[in-house]
C-alpha cells in the first residue's frame, strides 16, 4: 500500500511537473505537508496571478503545469485567468482543496458545494473523484486531457482527507504509469488534395497563427512559404497569443486586421488562403463586410475540432500543425511564383515630449537581444511592438489571446521561470499592470530576472480609441490620474527606475535586461493608439 499523496507526487515527478503554482489555505495543507525537496512551490499572492504565472510557464515550457488553489473562493478569484488560459490553450491541471469528505454533506465551512460545476465552461474537464483512492488516477486523467489537443485547463477538486488515504500500489502503478500521445497527422488524401490546390492556385497566401509556434512548426512554415513563393500574414492580433513566423522574414507582410470587412479586403487579391494554426478568425470589433472576396477560397489546418467546426467559411483539416505541414512539404514542388515584396521598413518615430508609445518601443527595439522574449499587455502599443521588434525566433512572444487583463505581468514571471536562459521583457500598460500587480512580489521572491517596461499614459487609451470607433461620448472611468506603479511595485520589493527621455529609456532598459535580476522601468508616454 502507498498513500494517495505519495502516489500523486510520484506521478507528477514522472511527468516533470515539479514546479507547482499556488495559493494555499487550510484545505490544501494536507497536500503540501512535507513538500518534497525536488519540487518547487511558487506562491502567488492572488489566484489570478497564480493561474497567470502557470499559464506563462506551461506555454513557454510546452508542458502541463500544476496549479493548486483554495477551494471555492480561490477558484472564483482565478476565473478570469482560467478564461485566458483556455484561449491560450495552456495545459493547466488546476487542483483545489475541498472540505473533509465527512463534513461535505452537512456543508461545513469552506465546502465547495458544487466544485465540479464551478469552473465550467472554462475547462475541458472538471471532476471530484468519488473515492479517495481514485485521486492519483484522476490526476493522471486530468493531466493527459490537459495535454491532448486542443490543449487547455482542466480542474480537479480533492477533499482534504484524501491525501492520507491508502491505495493499492499495483493498481495505482498501472493508472499513473501510462503515456498518452495525441499528436495525430492529417488524412493523406486531404493533404494531397491541399498540395494540388496550392499548386493550381495563381496567387495563394499563407496565414500563420499561434499553434504554429506551440506545435514547433516554424521551420516547416518558412519552408512552405519559400518553396511556394507565398506572402505570409499573421492571424489577427487579439486572438493570436503567439507568433508563428519570423516577422523580419522577407515574405512576412504584417498582421491581419481583426474585423470582418477589413480582413476580407486584405486577402481579396488572393484566390487561395491557407490558414495554419489559427481559428478562422478571432474577429473584433464588428466592422461588417464580405468574409472573403468572391473567388477567394480558404482552407485551414488546426488541431482543434471546434475551431474547424465553427469557422464561417472555408474547408479545414483537423490534425497536428507541424506533422501536417511536414507531410504537405513532401508533396509540394518549388514554385515559379515570384517571391513577394517585403513589407515597408518602419519609420523612425518623431521626437515628442512625452514620448509617443512608438518611440518607447523603438527605444526597446534598440536594446532588445535577438534571443529575448516579449510578453505583451500594453493595448495601445500592441501594433508598435509587432512592427518594431520584428521577432524572428520561436517562442519569442506571448500575449493574452482571451483579452482578459492580468495575463501579461503574471505570465511574464512564469515564462521567465520556464526559459531561464532567455531574457524576458514584459511590456505592460499602467492600467493592465493593476490586474496582476501582486506578480511583482513573486518575481522578487523567486529572483526571476524579468524586465518590466511600464508605459504610463494616465488613461485607458485603447478604450478611448474604441469609444471613437463606437461613436460613444461621455463614458466615465477611462482616466487614470496619479497612478504610481513604481511606488506600488517598490512595496513588493521590486527595484524600479523612471526614464525621462528616449536615450535614458534605452540605457535603463539595456541595463535592466543584462542585470539578471527583476527590474521595472517606467516611462511616461503620450496617450493615444500607436499604429506602428
Ligand atoms: C479583466 C479585464 N477587465 C477590463 C478589461 C477592459 N480593458 C481592455 S483594455 C483596458 C485598458 C488597459 O489600460 P492600459 O494598460 O493602461 O493600456 P492603454 O489602453 O492605455 O494602452 C481595459 C480596462 C479587460 N480587457 N480585461
Amino acid at each position: 500500500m502507498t498513500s494517495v499523496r505519495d502516489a500523486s507526487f510520484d506521478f507528477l515527478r514522472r511527468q516533470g511537473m515539479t514546479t507547482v503554482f499556488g495559493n494555499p489555505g487550510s484545505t490544501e495543507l494536507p497536500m503540501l505537508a512535507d513538500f518534497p525537496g525536488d519540487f518547487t512551490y511558487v506562491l502567488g499572492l492572488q489566484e489570478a496571478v497564480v493561474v497567470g504565472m502557470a499559464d506563462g510557464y506551461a506555454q513557454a515550457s510546452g508542458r502541463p503545469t500544476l496549479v493548486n488553489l483554495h477551494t471555492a473562493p480561490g477558484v472564483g478569484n482565478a476565473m478570469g485567468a482560467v478564461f485566458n488560459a483556455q484561449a491560450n490553450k495552456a495545459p493547466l491541471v488546476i487542483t483545489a482543496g475541498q472540505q473533509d469528505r465527512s463534513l461535505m454533506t452537512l456543508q461545513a465551512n469552506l465546502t465547495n458545494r458544487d466544485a465540479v460545476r464551478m469552473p465550467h465552461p472554462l475547462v475541458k474537464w472538471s471532476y471530484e473523484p468519488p473515492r479517495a483512492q481514485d485521486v492519483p488516477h484522476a490526476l493522471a486523467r486530468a493531466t493527459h486531457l490537459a495535454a491532448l489537443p486542443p490543449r487547455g485547463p482542466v480542474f480537479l477538486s480533492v477533499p482534504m482527507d484524501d491525501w492520507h488515504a491508502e491505495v493499492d500500489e499495483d493498481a495505482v502503478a498501472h493508472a499513473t504509469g501510462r503515456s498518452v500521445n495525441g499528436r495525430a497527422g492529417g488524412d493523406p488524401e486531404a493533404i494531397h488534395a491541399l498540395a494540388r490546390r496550392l499548386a493550381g492556385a495563381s496567387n495563394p497566401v499563407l496565414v500563420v497563427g499561434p499553434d504554429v509556434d506551440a506545435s514547433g512548426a516554424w521551420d516547416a512554415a518558412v519552408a512552405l512559404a519559400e518553396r511556394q513563393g507565398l506572402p505570409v500574414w499573421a492571424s489577427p492580433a487579439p486572438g493570436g497569443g503567439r507568433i508563428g513566423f519570423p516577422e523580419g522574414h522577407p515574405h512576412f507582410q504584417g498582421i491581419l486586421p481583426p474585423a470582418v470587412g477589413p480582413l476580407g479586403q486584405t486577402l481579396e487579391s488572393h484566390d487561395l488562403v491557407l490558414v495554419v494554426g489559427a481559428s478562422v478568425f478571432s474577429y473584433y470589433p464588428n466592422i461588417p463586410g464580405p468574409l472573403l472576396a468572391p473567388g477567394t477560397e480558404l482552407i485551414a489546418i488546426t488541431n482543434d475540432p471546434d475551431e474547424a467546426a465553427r469557422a464561417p467559411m472555408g474547408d479545414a483539416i483537423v490534425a497536428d500543425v507541424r506533422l501536417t505541414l511536414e507531410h504537405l512539404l513532401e508533396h509540394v514542388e518549388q514554385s515559379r511564383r515570384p517571391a513577394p515584396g517585403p513589407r515597408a521598413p518602419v519609420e523612425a518615430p518623431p521626437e515628442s515630449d512625452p514620448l509617443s508609445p512608438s518611440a518607447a518601443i523603438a527605444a526597446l527595439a534598440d536594446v532588445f537581444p535577438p534571443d529575448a522574449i516579449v510578453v505583451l499587455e500594453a493595448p495601445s502599443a500592441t501594433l508598435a511592438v509587432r512592427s518594431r521588434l520584428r521577432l524572428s525566433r520561436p517562442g519569442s512572444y506571448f500575449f493574452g489571446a482571451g483579452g482578459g487583463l492580468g495575463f501579461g505581468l503574471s505570465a511574464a514571471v512564469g515564462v521567465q521561470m520556464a526559459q531561464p536562459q532567455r531574457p524576458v521583457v514584459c511590456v505592460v500598460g499602467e492600467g493592465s499592470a493593476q490586474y496582476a500587480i501582486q506578480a511583482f512580489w513573486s518575481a522578487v521572491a523567486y529572483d526571476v530576472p524579468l524586465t518590466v517596461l511600464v508605459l504610463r499614459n494616465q488613461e485607458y487609451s485603447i478604450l478611448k480609441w474604441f469609444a471613437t470607433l463606437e461613436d460613444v461620448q461621455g463614458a466615465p472611468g477611462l482616466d487614470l490620474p496619479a497612478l504610481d506603479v513604481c511606488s506600488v511595485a517598490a512595496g513588493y520589493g521590486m527595484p524600479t527606475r523612471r526614464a525621462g527621455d528616449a536615450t535614458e529609456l534605452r540605457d535603463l532598459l539595456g541595463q535592466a535586461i543584462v542585470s539578471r535580476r527583476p527590474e521595472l522601468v517606467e516611462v511616461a508616454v503620450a496617450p493615444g493608439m500607436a499604429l506602428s
Side-chain angles (χ1 to χ4, degrees):
M1 291 297 231
T2 182
S3 71
V4 164
R5 183 185 164 285
D6 288 350
S8 299
F9 276 98
D10 281 347
F11 167 75
L12 295 172
R13 191 176 281 118
R14 280 198 302 277
Q15 296 293 316
M17 295 166 69
T18 55
T19 300
V20 181
F21 295 85
N23 185 272
S26 51
T27 43
E28 291 69 44
L29 291 177
M31 173 189 168
L32 302 177
D34 299 320
F35 198 65
D38 57 332
F39 279 62
T40 304
Y41 183 85
V42 182
L43 175 63
L45 302 187
Q46 208 273 2
E47 288 81 355
V49 173
V50 172
V51 172
M53 291 193 296
D55 185 340
Y57 188 89
Q59 288 194 71
S61 67
R63 305 279 319 145
T65 299
L66 191 77
V67 174
N68 185 234
L69 304 177
H70 180 48
T71 181
V75 175
N77 281 351
M79 288 292 271
V82 180
F83 172 85
N84 285 334
Q86 183 190 47
N88 293 331
K89 299 185 174 167
L92 300 188
V93 180
I94 302 171
T95 57
Q98 167 67 298
Q99 188 45 277
D100 195 286
R101 281 183 189 268
S102 65
L103 297 179
M104 284 166 64
T105 303
L106 63 83
Q107 209 176 302
N109 188 30
L110 289 178
T111 303
N112 191 351
R113 69 177 81 166
D114 199 346
V116 170
R117 190 151 59 131
M118 199 174 166
H120 277 292
L122 305 180
V123 293
K124 291 174 72 177
W125 187 62
S126 181
Y127 198 61
E128 190 170 74
R131 304 177 307 166
Q133 57 265 48
D134 298 324
V135 169
H137 188 184
L139 188 62
R141 182 172 167 186
T143 304
H144 298 314
L145 272 174
L148 283 165
R151 295 180 141 204
V154 297
F155 178 73
L156 191 63
S157 166
V158 185
M160 60 190 290
D161 51 324
D162 285 5
W163 297 102
H164 299 306
E166 295 203 317
V167 281
D168 178 75
E169 260 170 76
D170 287 343
V172 87
H174 278 300
T176 61
R178 311 168 54 240
S179 77
V180 177
N181 184 324
R183 291 187 63 203
D187 174 5
E189 263 312 303
I191 294 173
H192 288 169
L194 171 56
R196 286 194 296 272
R197 272 172 92 171
L198 264 179
S202 56
N203 185 14
V205 61
L206 181 64
V207 177
V208 288
D211 280 341
V212 173
D213 199 29
S215 71
W218 273 60
D219 291 348
V222 171
L224 181 68
E226 291 177 352
R227 199 177 298 173
Q228 283 287 298
L230 303 173
V232 180
W233 289 88
S235 60
R242 299 173 71 154
I243 283 175
F245 199 85
E247 301 209 329
H249 190 283
H251 286 225
F252 188 71
Q253 307 294 303
I255 313 171
L256 284 178
V260 171
L263 192 155
Q265 264 168 21
T266 306
L267 299 175
E268 70 187 356
S269 63
H270 300 283
D271 57 342
L272 181 64
V273 181
L274 173 58
V275 182
V276 178
S279 68
V280 176
F281 283 104
S282 187
Y283 291 117
Y284 195 75
N286 184 13
I287 305 178
L291 290 163
L292 287 176
T296 302
E297 293 182 356
L298 183 146
I299 180 157
I301 301 170
T302 170
N303 70 359
D304 183 342
D306 189 57
E307 274 179 6
R310 71 177 190 249
M313 75 279 202
D315 303 325
I317 296 174
V318 178
D320 180 80
V321 168
R322 177 176 165 187
L323 292 179
T324 309
L325 283 184
E326 287 174 350
H327 191 167
L328 181 63
L329 278 167
E330 291 168 15
H331 298 282
V332 293
E333 310 281 322
Q334 185 69 43
S335 146
R336 280 200 291 271
R337 285 181 206 109
R343 66 172 168 164
V346 70
E347 286 175 15
E351 283 179 23
S352 61
D353 185 19
L355 294 179
S356 64
S358 300
I361 301 304
L364 172 63
D366 285 345
V367 294
F368 195 79
D371 65 334
I373 298 171
V374 70
V375 184
L376 177 62
E377 192 172 274
S380 60
T382 303
L383 295 179
V385 167
R386 293 293 289 273
S387 46
R388 290 181 188 276
L389 292 189
R390 307 236 159 159
L391 300 163
S392 288
R393 295 196 186 178
S396 295
Y397 177 84
F398 297 92
F399 178 89
L405 298 178
F407 168 81
L409 202 52
S410 46
V413 175
V415 169
Q416 181 70 86
M417 289 182 128
Q419 295 287 341
Q421 308 307 330
R422 297 180 66 180
V424 175
V425 180
C426 177
V427 181
V428 67
E430 98 262 55
S432 299
Q434 307 312 315
Y435 298 79
I437 198 77
Q438 304 90 342
F440 284 125
W441 183 87
S442 300
V444 174
Y446 299 95
D447 204 13
V448 181
L450 169 71
T451 300
V452 180
L453 168 60
V454 175
L455 302 179
R456 182 183 187 182
N457 59 13
Q458 305 203 51
E459 64 175 33
Y460 288 156
S461 264
I462 189 85
L463 299 188
K464 290 192 177 178
W465 180 82
F466 267 108
T468 311
L469 193 78
E470 295 171 19
D471 204 14
V472 166
Q473 277 101 37
L478 304 184
D479 289 303
L480 300 177
L483 180 51
D484 185 348
V485 184
C486 282
S487 297
V488 180
Y492 287 110
M494 190 80 180
T496 66
R497 320 274 293 270
R498 268 204 185 95
D501 58 25
T503 310
E504 200 182 356
L505 180 60
R506 192 177 308 124
D507 291 347
L508 292 182
L509 284 171
Q511 290 163 21
I513 289 168
V514 297
S515 74
R516 304 311 288 150
R517 64 168 192 164
E519 275 194 38
L520 182 163
V521 178
E522 187 202 78
V523 65
V525 293
M529 186 72 173
L531 295 177
S532 70

